[in-house]
Amino acid sequence: MNILLPIELSLIAGIFFLFLPEKAKLFTKVVAPLIGILNFILSIILFFPIGGGNFVVPSYASNFVLTDLLSRFIYLGVGFFGFIISLYGTGYITKNVNRFFAYFFLTLGSAFAIGIADNLIVLLVFWGFLGMTLYMLIQLGKEGANLSDVLQAGEAAKKTLIIIGASDCFLIMGIGILWYLTNSFRITEISLITNYSPLITFSFVCFAIASFAKAGNMPLHTWIPPCAASAPIPVTAYLPASLDKLLGIYLLSRCVISLYKVSPGLSTFVMIAGALTIIFAVFMAMIQHSGRKLLSYHAVSQVGYMVLGIGTLNPIGICGGLFHMINNAIYKSCLFLGLGSVEKNTGTDDLDNLGGLAKKMPLTLFTMLTASLAISGIPPLNGFFSKWMVYQGVINTFSSRNAFIPALCLIAALFGSALTLASFMKLIHSIFLARESKMKTSHFPLPISHFLLILPQLILAIACIVLGIFAYPIIIKPVFQNILPFEAGGIWQPEWAAILIIAGVVLGFIIYGVSRIKVRVTPEFIGGEKVTPEMKVSGTEFYLTIEEMPFFGKIYEWAKKRFFDIYDIFRAWVFFFTKVFRFAHSGSLPIYLLWILGGLAIILLIW
Amino acid sequence: MILFYYLVFPGFLATFILGGIASWIERKLTARIQARVGPPFLQPFYDIRKLFIKEVTIPENSVRSIFMASPIISFASVSIVATIVGLNLVNPNYSFNGDLIVCVYLLLIPSLCLILGSGAAGNPLSSIGASREMKLVLSYELAFWTCLAVPMIKTNEIRLISLMEFQAQNGAIASSLSGIIAFIITIICMQAKLGKVPFDIPEAETELAGGAYIEYSGPLLGFFKITQYMMLVILPVFLLQIFWGPINSWVSILKYLVLLVVIILLENTNPRLKIKQAVKTLWFGLFPVAVVSIILAVLGL
């Protein structure tokens, strides 16, 4: 089968929906998920068999297409998330349906294209295009938005475009340098060693900046929180949470695997960038009061693990980073989708006002709890497996260089996972376990849309469990061992552990059943008093102790004032330098005329 | 075979019995320190039996599934660690095993279950207990991992069995300067992980009336108690394997008893900390010292 088929299909579908009038929304809602499923099936067919793949590359594209296992794996991943989000989007989006799906499929097509691009120019074109569709998608804004929400969405979209666009400039620069050095644009033909010249190192840094901005590594992460706060939930789950991660990390791993032979010094810098991202982002996540922002900071923090893993440069670390990329996309989009249904049901993502949803939304509780445990790296779920691989990658670097900085990175990663757990306990507690607050909960308008909202979450949650327990047979042996063979230094047998946990739980229930206990339902005991609604302990107060501590208090205060936001810092600089030109730009016509005449005079003089 | 290892020896049953005995030693010694007589030898087991014949009360606003599943999962996951740690002693070549990172992550699950279970109870006091437990986990986890990095740096290994082999050849890790500093800090973190005084902040009988455990009763509380007994054996043995190996002779039992006595003495000579004090002590007091131990380890000391 033609390997370009999903790309063509998505791009055509995108353009078609773009010109479809909004009245034909029902038609879109039926056709869009079908195209999503079709794309997914096509990408599965193209992926197997693992050894070679079952596809044909058309002759005109043979110089532009890369069909190795890593590329096809990214292809499959893009297809999968396209399928999941197209289902969810159908149930979730109620206005601007056609525009949403138009941009959606354009994004999907370009993401497919980036995944298999061999030519760096092709990659760059679609990379830039993806930034633009992301801009359009964010501008769609929240469902049922008022004016301030619309303005906020515009602001977030602008910020995203500027950060992503600026990083694209670096990508162009990096590609230009590669052309200058090797006279080639083909990924498969280029292989440079970074410690030979500063120019090569600089081009690597350019690529790293582009992939950091796309994936959201610090310090280029600052577009993700505002984007998550104001874009529609499916968009957040689609781009910042899954596709952007896949593509950004894909580019970084390509750089490390084939484009460059990176020197240990540079790799230490990449590792430090990853470790700092993990810690700072997760500390920011802990204090958020809005569910969307909390999740968005985790979308940043998890990138740190991938960058850390890839930065180690050894096979198990890189594979761990790539596996973490897939896992993160799965559980993070699951969390965003879960939050989306909570928001749909209650109209808010404010953790202070939520509570008591466990009985109303048991399935969402299950999916979000599973995904939360997976992201916190609780064995035997998938997040643990990939983190464990990343840790081993870091430990393997101890022997080859000074172990101090890698050790600190390792501690940051390990501790970051406890902090992640903490912030998700807060999330789960505030949304589901805390006492119900006095707010109206609407019900889903139609059972079909309920089904479409819950099905993708269930698929993702089950994927978390399956990929965790059967990681070796499903993904490690067939895929990653073929991309980069590695030897694990530790031992972890999730299949056995899962069987044992089940055996233990069964034993527990047997003991419990044998004892034949009477069960009595009683009111809560708080020393004889009555529990009143004012006593509600929401999860948002959990970490006030830490927020108020002397050292942290200061940092949090600065962070809230956005002292660390690279966008604001650069904006301040730009405004500082353009102050002079602003005097010239006064808006009065005679002065402009004067400028024109003066310029003309100068040109004539030079001539 | 694996089920036997898991359920009977060295997994659940053996560890439970040893844990009961350790708990008796703890209570007896505490009683002697306070000039009381102390309980009879089988008292811990009487306690468990009694819990399993009492009725269960479930708070009306609780999330029942999570409330009831938490204690059982907690006990199941601790049994896995018991199996891994025990198999490294009795049959290290058996096909099921785990490494250091796996064990520490599995040891996190009981705390997690306690947080989820008590959060699900719908009682404000137990929610406060849950938040304190989470903060306690955060506070000790940092110093704990930092100390565990010392053996990793020294050996470049995370398999428990390789760590023990290394120590059999080169002497215990705790015999080096960095190792002993790390070991001492780990013991303090272990106290917090066990939830013993001075780190019994989530339970805080005097102010939260049992805090995280307030709504648990009957067998559900029993499972948590079993978990606690087992932790009292697993954690010290785990630390011995990492820092004070090799563990292959009867002397090792003495080593374990030394650790147990240290736990008991810490418990009986310290007042309970406030949660803020605990976080501050562990982050700003012990963590820098642990970093020093890493620097020493990198320097080869």
Side-chain angles (χ1 to χ4, degrees):
Chain A
M1 195 186 307
N2 186 346
I3 194 161
L4 301 179
L5 203 59
I7 303 178
E8 288 158 1
L9 185 65
S10 319
L11 291 181
I12 290 169
I15 293 167
F16 174 71
F17 286 131
L18 195 59
F19 292 109
L20 203 66
E22 187 65 22
K23 273 183 205 158
K25 149 165 121 170
L26 204 64
F27 172 75
T28 313
K29 284 203 164 191
V30 174
V31 175
L34 290 180
I35 299 177
I37 294 169
L38 188 61
N39 267 330
F40 181 44
I41 293 171
L42 286 177
S43 61
I44 292 177
I45 295 172
L46 292 168
F47 182 70
F48 291 105
I50 287 174
N54 180 18
F55 55 82
V56 186
V57 180
S59 56
Y60 61 86
S62 58
N63 281 339
F64 300 98
V65 173
L66 189 61
T67 56
D68 67 353
L69 190 58
L70 177 58
S71 279
R72 278 184 290 133
F73 185 63
I74 298 290
Y75 212 67
L76 182 67
V78 171
F80 176 67
F81 288 106
F83 156 64
I84 293 285
I85 308 292
S86 68
L87 278 190
Y88 191 86
T90 312
Y92 187 91
I93 301 281
T94 49
K95 59 173 203 194
N96 292 332
V97 180
N98 288 343
R99 269 174 67 202
F100 172 79
F101 277 108
Y103 303 141
F104 176 90
F105 281 110
L106 290 176
T107 311
L108 191 64
S110 19
F112 273 131
I114 294 172
I116 58 162
D118 186 15
N119 188 306
L120 286 169
I121 296 291
V122 175
L123 188 140
L124 176 71
V125 168
F126 284 107
W127 190 271
F129 193 64
L130 202 68
M132 197 194 71
T133 51
L134 175 61
Y135 174 77
M136 304 305 268
L137 279 169
I138 297 173
Q139 274 202 331
L140 292 177
K142 279 186 194 175
E143 292 281 297
N146 52 26
L147 186 63
S148 74
D149 282 342
V150 173
L151 289 178
Q152 211 188 357
E155 191 64 30
K158 192 176 84 186
K159 189 171 179 179
T160 306
L161 188 69
I162 288 176
I163 292 180
I164 299 270
S167 71
D168 287 354
C169 298
F170 280 95
L171 187 59
I172 296 173
M173 203 139 60
I175 292 174
I177 295 172
L178 284 190
W179 168 255
Y180 172 73
L181 290 172
T182 62
N183 266 334
S184 169
F185 283 129
R186 292 192 62 183
I187 292 177
T188 37
E189 281 175 357
I190 299 173
S191 177
L192 295 168
I193 300 174
T194 57
N195 51 3
Y196 278 8
S197 83
L199 201 58
I200 300 178
T201 310
F202 181 67
S203 68
F204 175 77
V205 171
C206 288
F207 275 96
I209 287 175
S211 67
F212 280 7
K214 194 63 117 186
N217 200 46
M218 278 193 180
L220 298 164
H221 67 286
T222 51
W223 60 277
I224 294 183
C227 158
S230 46
I233 280 278
V235 172
T236 319
Y238 184 47
L239 277 158
S242 48
L243 287 196
D244 279 346
K245 296 279 177 293
L246 290 186
L247 300 176
I249 296 302
Y250 165 72
L251 184 68
L252 189 65
S253 60
R254 267 284 172 228
C255 287
V256 171
I257 294 173
S258 56
L259 284 177
Y260 296 95
K261 296 270 171 295
V262 182
S263 60
L266 206 52
S267 108
T268 308
F269 272 107
V270 178
M271 281 166 73
I272 292 174
L276 289 180
T277 306
I278 296 174
I279 284 294
F280 282 116
V282 81
F283 265 115
M284 283 308 290
M286 259 170 65
I287 60 160
Q288 300 301 326
H289 286 241
S290 134
R292 283 164 171 247
K293 283 214 162 163
L294 191 148
L295 290 181
S296 72
Y297 275 107
H298 279 292
V300 176
S301 146
Q302 294 296 312
V303 181
Y305 286 95
M306 306 165 207
V307 171
L308 178 62
I310 291 174
T312 62
L313 300 183
N314 49 44
I316 189 164
I318 296 175
C319 289
L322 287 172
F323 190 26
H324 200 72
M325 163 192 90
I326 288 291
N327 290 340
N328 170 68
I330 291 173
Y331 47 64
K332 185 53 56 59
S333 45
C334 179
L335 285 164
F336 270 117
L337 300 186
L339 187 70
S341 4
V342 168
E343 223 182 284
K344 200 91 184 166
N345 216 355
T346 60
T348 179
D349 71 324
D350 186 1
L351 298 180
D352 292 311
N353 291 329
L354 288 164
L357 289 178
K359 288 199 178 105
K360 293 200 181 85
M361 311 174 75
L363 281 176
T364 312
L365 170 62
F366 165 73
T367 58
M368 281 187 84
L369 185 61
T370 313
S372 304
L373 297 183
I375 195 176
S376 321
I378 297 299
L381 297 170
N382 60 354
F384 174 72
F385 202 103
S386 47
K387 281 184 186 176
W388 176 76
M389 284 167 70
V390 170
Y391 299 152
Q392 287 181 52
V394 180
I395 291 168
N396 284 349
T397 62
F398 284 179
S399 51
S400 60
R401 62 184 91 159
N402 188 332
F404 183 60
I405 287 174
L408 287 187
C409 293
L410 178 71
I411 293 161
L414 288 161
F415 182 51
S417 132
L419 290 167
T420 310
L421 180 68
S423 52
F424 278 100
M425 285 303 107
K426 164 180 167 174
L427 185 81
I428 295 288
H429 191 275
S430 334
I431 298 181
F432 294 105
L433 306 181
R435 296 291 282 265
E436 197 167 349
S437 47
K438 295 209 168 49
M439 60 181 323
K440 281 181 284 179
T441 52
S442 62
H443 286 282
F444 290 106
L446 284 170
I448 176 80
S449 91
H450 182 184
F451 174 74
L452 284 175
L453 293 187
I454 202 75
L455 180 69
Q457 296 174 42
L458 281 176
I459 295 174
L460 292 169
I462 289 167
C464 282
I465 299 173
V466 170
L467 276 185
I469 294 177
F470 302 107
Y472 282 114
I474 289 185
I475 200 158
I476 297 293
K477 275 207 188 103
V479 181
F480 289 121
Q481 288 286 17
N482 286 328
I483 293 175
L484 276 178
F486 63 84
E487 186 91 13
I491 319 168
W492 167 234
Q493 290 142 318
E495 301 96 337
W496 284 112
I499 291 173
L500 292 185
I501 287 188
I502 292 168
V505 171
V506 169
L507 176 74
F509 275 110
I510 290 173
I511 298 177
Y512 183 80
V514 164
S515 53
R516 279 208 233 137
I517 300 296
K518 266 201 303 188
V519 176
R520 187 157 57 94
V521 176
T522 57
E524 288 79 15
F525 176 76
I526 50 163
E529 302 281 322
K530 262 209 153 126
V531 182
T532 55
E534 293 83 63
M535 290 181 189
K536 176 192 169 196
V537 178
S538 167
T540 46
E541 296 124 33
F542 269 21
Y543 309 116
L544 280 182
T545 322
I546 293 168
E547 212 177 322
E548 285 162 0
M549 264 198 280
F551 170 69
F552 288 91
K554 206 77 204 160
I555 300 256
Y556 277 134
E557 205 179 291
W558 286 341
K560 275 180 195 158
K561 287 183 189 158
R562 307 208 294 186
F563 277 6
F564 306 119
D565 190 337
I566 199 163
Y567 175 74
D568 286 353
I569 296 170
F570 267 91
R571 197 169 62 171
W573 279 103
V574 168
F575 280 139
F576 178 74
F577 281 116
T578 52
K579 227 185 224 167
V580 185
F581 301 109
R582 289 191 162 198
F583 284 117
H585 225 305
S586 62
S588 81
L589 198 59
I591 294 183
Y592 287 154
L593 271 177
L594 205 65
W595 281 116
I596 292 169
L597 287 176
L600 189 68
I602 291 170
I603 289 171
L604 288 176
L605 275 178
I606 292 171
W607 244 345
Chain B
M1 195 59 201
I2 189 161
L3 280 180
F4 173 78
Y5 281 140
Y6 176 67
L7 295 176
V8 183
F9 181 82
F12 163 61
L13 198 61
T15 317
F16 168 53
I17 292 171
L18 286 177
I21 297 171
S23 165
W24 173 76
I25 297 176
E26 183 202 347
R27 288 160 76 167
K28 189 80 180 172
L29 211 61
T30 307
R32 298 310 299 166
I33 291 171
Q34 298 167 346
R36 289 187 282 117
V37 182
F41 182 66
L42 288 176
Q43 188 60 44
F45 303 103
Y46 292 148
D47 287 356
I48 296 292
R49 198 189 65 188
K50 189 171 177 186
L51 282 175
F52 276 89
I53 54 176
K54 288 270 183 187
E55 69 172 356
V56 181
T57 59
I58 291 179
E60 50 191 9
N61 286 313
S62 63
V63 181
R64 229 182 252 199
S65 48
I66 294 182
F67 182 75
M68 296 184 67
S70 292
I72 297 175
I73 291 173
S74 143
F75 131 90
S77 61
V78 165
S79 301
I80 293 189
V81 191
T83 316
I84 291 174
V85 171
L87 273 177
N88 273 316
L89 298 178
V90 297
N91 187 0
N93 296 321
Y94 187 67
S95 60
F96 177 72
N97 213 320
D99 58 41
L100 194 159
I101 294 179
V102 169
C103 284
V104 180
Y105 267 87
L106 284 170
L107 283 172
L108 191 63
I109 299 185
S111 301
L112 168 71
C113 288
L114 183 59
I115 296 162
L116 277 176
S118 56
N123 183 322
L125 291 183
S126 68
S127 292
I128 293 175
S131 94
R132 289 186 178 187
E133 172 77 20
M134 193 65 241
K135 279 180 278 198
L136 190 62
V137 169
L138 287 186
S139 60
Y140 67 69
E141 202 82 341
L142 180 59
F144 195 58
W145 279 120
T146 315
C147 293
L148 291 184
V150 169
M152 292 185 210
I153 291 171
K154 282 190 171 297
T155 61
N156 290 325
E157 284 283 355
I158 50 173
R159 294 185 193 219
L160 294 173
I161 188 75
S162 320
L163 282 170
M164 285 203 282
E165 273 165 13
F166 176 87
Q167 298 185 71
Q169 285 164 9
N170 306 332
I173 285 176
S175 63
S176 62
L177 181 60
S178 59
I180 189 74
I181 298 175
F183 189 42
I184 291 171
I185 296 174
T186 331
I187 290 174
I188 299 173
C189 295
M190 172 172 75
Q191 195 79 359
K193 227 170 165 51
L194 290 169
K196 302 257 179 225
V197 187
F199 296 106
D200 62 336
I201 312 160
E203 301 169 41
E205 281 82 2
T206 38
E207 39 177 309
L208 295 183
Y213 297 104
I214 188 169
E215 291 294 349
Y216 277 105
S217 55
L220 296 179
L221 185 59
F223 282 119
F224 273 134
K225 274 268 181 283
I226 294 177
T227 311
Q228 285 176 351
Y229 289 170
M230 290 171 71
M231 290 280 268
L232 196 54
V233 177
I234 297 165
L235 262 177
V237 174
F238 177 63
L239 292 191
L240 285 181
Q241 289 187 348
I242 295 170
F243 284 104
W244 201 3
I247 308 199
N248 41 19
S249 59
W250 294 103
V251 186
S252 322
I253 297 180
L254 272 181
K255 290 184 186 170
Y256 169 72
L257 287 178
V258 168
L259 275 194
L260 190 62
V261 169
V262 169
I263 294 173
I264 299 165
L265 288 181
L266 276 177
E267 192 180 354
N268 280 296
T269 49
N270 285 290
R272 179 171 64 236
L273 296 172
K274 289 180 197 162
I275 185 68
K276 206 167 188 171
Q277 290 168 327
V279 179
K280 268 190 187 163
T281 323
L282 285 157
W283 280 5
F284 301 122
L286 294 185
F287 171 62
V289 183
V291 172
V292 170
S293 78
I294 286 194
I295 296 174
L296 291 175
V298 171
L299 295 175
L301 289 170

